[in-house]
Amino acid sequence: MISGLYRGRNGDSEVELRVDLDGPRATGRVSGDLFARAGETLSYVGSFVVHAPERRGAVVGGTGAFTYPVTGRDVELGETELLLDGVRYPLEFASPYFRRVLLEIDSVVGAVPFVAYDTGSLPGPPGDPRVLGVTEAYAEAGVELVTGPPGVIPVDGSGADLAWDDAELHHAMTQAFTAFGDGAAWRVWLLVASKHVGGYRGIMFDYNDACQRQGAAVFHDAIKGDSPQAQRAQLRTYVHELGHAFNLLHSWQKNLATPPQPLGPDGGFGDLSWMNYVQNYRPGGERGYWAAFPFQFTDTELIHLRHGFYRDVAMGANAFGSGAAEIQPFEQPVEDHSGLRLEVRAKEWFGFGEPVVVELKLATAGEPRHTHSHLHPDTEFTQVSITQPSGRTVLYRPMMRHCVDHSLDVRLDAGNPAMYRSAYIGHGRDGHYFQQPGEYRVRAQYIAADGSRIVSPTCLVRVRYPVADADHKVAELMLGEEQGKLFSLLGSDSPTLSSGNAALDEVIDRYGGHPLATYARLVKGLNAEREFKHLEGSRLQIRPPDAQESITQLGSVVREGRVDNITLNLAMRRLARAEARKGDLDRAYAVLDDMVDTFAGKHLNAVVLRQIRRQAELTKAALSAES
C-alpha cells in the first residue's frame, strides 16, 4: 500500500486509516480514527496508532495504542483491508495526504495576504530550492489545507488606528468565521490584520473556551514587504501560528504538554522547526537558524501532525497543550550561574473573588547581565505554577498568549538592577485558579536569552474567607467564567461576554462601596477608554472611545488606590489619555504629574521612580502629538 489516507466501513462502523510506511519523510507508522454512523450522523469513537509495525508476509501489523477500550490490541493491514479489534474493514484509497483541513482566510482592507516565497532567494542549507506558500508547507508535512479566495473586511468609521487587541480578535472570529462551531472539526480561521496593540507578528488567540484552537491572526504591518527577507518572515509567521492551531507548542515548551514531551537540543532552542523562535535559535541566533533551517517541521512534530490522536490535533477538540494539566512545581536547578534572580511578589492577602495579581521581578545577582524583556507570562518565556490548598499543582495558562518574534535586549546592572511586570493570574485557559479560600503557593520560571531557566522562591498567596453577606454576593458576581475572561482581556464589547459585563455592572451599581468594586471599575474604565472593533455582517465597525465613562471609572480606581502599583500606573496613564481625548490636555498633564507624586510618596527604588518620571514625560509627548 502506498502512503496516504484510506477509508473503510463495516456496517455502522467507519474508519479513516493513515498509512505512513514509504514516501517523503515516512515516519514508519500506521494510525487511524474510528467513527460510528447512526442515520445521517457520524460520531467519533476513538483513535489508535501503531508506532512500530512489522511486515508479516503480505500483512503489516503490530500492537496499537488506543484511546478507547478494545478486546485485542493487534492491528493487521493487508493489501485491501484492515483487521481492527476483530472487525474487517475493506479499504479504499482516499488521498495522498493524511489529513484535510479547511483554512478560511479573511483580511482587513490594506492588509495583503502572503502568497509564496522562493527558498532559493536567500542563502540557506544545501538542497533543492522550491516555492513555498502556507498550503505547500503543510502539504510537505502531509496535511492538505483547502482554501478559497481570501475574504476582505471593509472598515467603516474615521480615525481608526486599526490596531487590534485580543478581545477584538476573539469577537471578530465569532462573527466572521463561517465554519466557527462548538465542536471538533478540521477547520481554522486566519485573520490578516493590520497590527496588534502589542506590536506582535502573530497570535493564535483562541485559547479560552471549550472549543479552542480555531482562530489565529497575523499582523501585516509587522511583517509586510516584498524583499526576500520579508517574504521569508511572512511564510514562517503564517506557518508558525497555524501550527499552534494544530496543537503544536513552542520548541522550548514541549515539556509542559500533557503528557510531557522531550525537549530538543539546547532545551528546545536548538530545534530547526517552524515552531522555534528565530532569534532564540542556538547556536547562532537568527543567522544560524536561517543558514540551517530546511523549511519543515521536526520529526516529532511531523508524527503529531500525521498521527496524533484525533482530539489532540483537530481544532475545537482538546485544549492547547492538552487541557488542564496537573504538573510538578518548578524545581530550583542544581547549579545556577546565570547571574539572574527571579522573585514573585503578592500582597498580604486577597479577598475571596478578588482578581489575583502578582508582581514578577527579575534582577541581576551581581555582575551585569543581558537578557530579553519578555517577563510577563502571556509571552510564555515565563511560566507560573500554582499549588492549590488541596495540594494539586496546575500551570497558569494565559487566555491569550502572544508569539514574540523579536526580543528587546535588556541590560541589568547597577543603573538598571531589575525589571518588573504585573500579571493577573487569577484566570486563564482552564478557568479560575483561585476558586476557594485558603493558602496557595506560587512559583515562576523564567527562560533567559541564553536558555537558562531561572526559578523563583515560592510566594505564598492567601485568599480570605468571606465574612459579610455582601462578600459572598460580590464573590459570586466576580467568579463567573465570563467575568474571568473580561479581566484577562481588560474588558470587551463582545456580545458573547454580555452576561459577564452585566455582572460587573451589578457589582458597581449595587455594591459600589465594596473593596472589590474597584476591579469592576478598572475593567469598565479601560474598555471605555479604547475604541472597539466589531463586525456587523461583513463590515468592520469602530466603536469610538467613551472618554467620560473612562474618566468616571478610572478616576474612582485612582482615588481608591486599592490596585497594585503597576496596575495603578496603567490606570493613571489611561486616565490621562481619556482626559486628552475629551479635550482637556492640561488635566491630562495634571494626572501624569499626580502619578509621579503618588509613586514618589510610596518611597520606591530611585531607579524605578526615575523610570516612572520618564514614562510620564513620554506619555505627555505622545498625548500632545495626538491632540
Side-chain angles (χ1 to χ4, degrees), residues 65-349:
F66 292 78
T67 66
Y68 60 99
V70 291
T71 56
R73 308 184 75 85
D74 278 352
V75 177
E76 289 190 358
L77 176 64
E79 291 185 3
T80 60
E81 69 175 16
L82 170 71
L83 178 60
L84 180 70
D85 197 23
V87 179
R88 295 188 181 275
Y89 296 87
L91 296 174
E92 292 185 0
F93 182 75
S95 171
Y97 300 100
F98 300 98
R99 278 170 168 149
R100 187 174 191 266
V101 179
L102 170 67
L103 171 60
E104 185 174 318
I105 301 177
D106 288 324
S107 63
V108 177
V109 168
V112 181
F114 163 78
V115 178
Y117 167 70
D118 184 347
T119 64
S121 300
L122 294 168
D128 294 330
R130 60 215 192 267
V131 176
L132 282 183
V134 177
T135 55
E136 290 81 7
Y138 275 92
E140 290 188 356
V143 176
E144 180 185 15
L145 294 182
V146 181
T147 63
V152 178
I153 299 174
V155 178
D156 288 344
S158 60
D161 62 5
L162 294 183
W164 292 72
D165 62 26
D166 296 343
E168 293 168 335
L169 288 168
H170 194 274
H171 174 58
M173 178 186 67
T174 64
Q175 303 300 307
F177 185 19
T178 58
F180 178 74
D182 294 329
W186 296 108
R187 76 285 199 243
V188 61
W189 184 63
L190 180 69
L191 176 65
V192 184
S194 47
K195 60 183 176 181
H196 190 276
V197 293
Y200 305 115
R201 292 172 177 260
I203 178 176
M204 194 276 282
F205 56 81
D206 185 21
Y207 287 91
N208 194 248
D209 52 30
C211 304
Q212 300 178 12
R213 301 185 284 106
Q214 297 184 67
V218 293
F219 301 103
H220 182 67
D221 289 4
I223 57 176
K224 65 182 178 182
D226 297 326
S227 69
Q229 291 84 356
Q231 294 290 300
R232 183 177 66 181
Q234 290 175 45
L235 172 63
R236 185 216 158 262
T237 299
Y238 278 60
V239 175
H240 178 102
E241 299 307 335
L242 288 173
H244 289 314
F246 283 92
N247 217 351
L248 289 174
L249 277 70
H250 286 135
S251 298
W252 67 94
Q253 291 182 305
K254 294 177 181 178
N255 60 318
L256 300 179
T258 303
Q261 300 297 316
L263 292 172
D266 286 300
F269 286 113
D271 274 357
L272 286 166
S273 167
W274 297 108
M275 305 311 298
N276 203 352
Y277 277 179
V278 174
Q279 75 277 6
N280 293 109
Y281 175 73
R282 287 197 303 275
E286 182 171 353
R287 179 176 295 182
Y289 177 88
W290 289 122
F293 180 51
F295 295 92
Q296 63 185 29
F297 292 98
T298 64
D299 290 344
T300 56
E301 291 164 347
L302 202 67
I303 292 169
H304 172 84
L305 290 170
R306 295 180 178 182
H307 304 291
F309 293 145
Y310 174 82
R311 293 195 58 82
D312 289 341
V313 187
M315 297 79 190
N318 286 348
F320 183 66
S322 77
E326 185 167 351
I327 65 166
Q328 294 295 319
F330 300 120
E331 292 187 2
Q332 292 287 353
V334 177
E335 293 183 357
D336 185 356
H337 303 296
S338 66
L340 296 172
R341 295 294 179 266
L342 180 64
E343 184 179 357
V344 181
R345 300 171 171 179
K347 64 181 188 177
E348 185 176 356
W349 57 269

Side-chain angles (χ1 to χ4, degrees), residues 567-589:
T567 304
L568 179 60
N569 178 295
L570 169 66
M572 297 189 79
R573 286 185 286 115
R574 295 284 287 271
L575 175 59
R577 194 165 74 174
E579 294 283 6
R581 281 179 166 164
K582 194 179 177 185
D584 194 340
L585 198 58
D586 290 338
R587 179 57 194 152
Y589 288 172

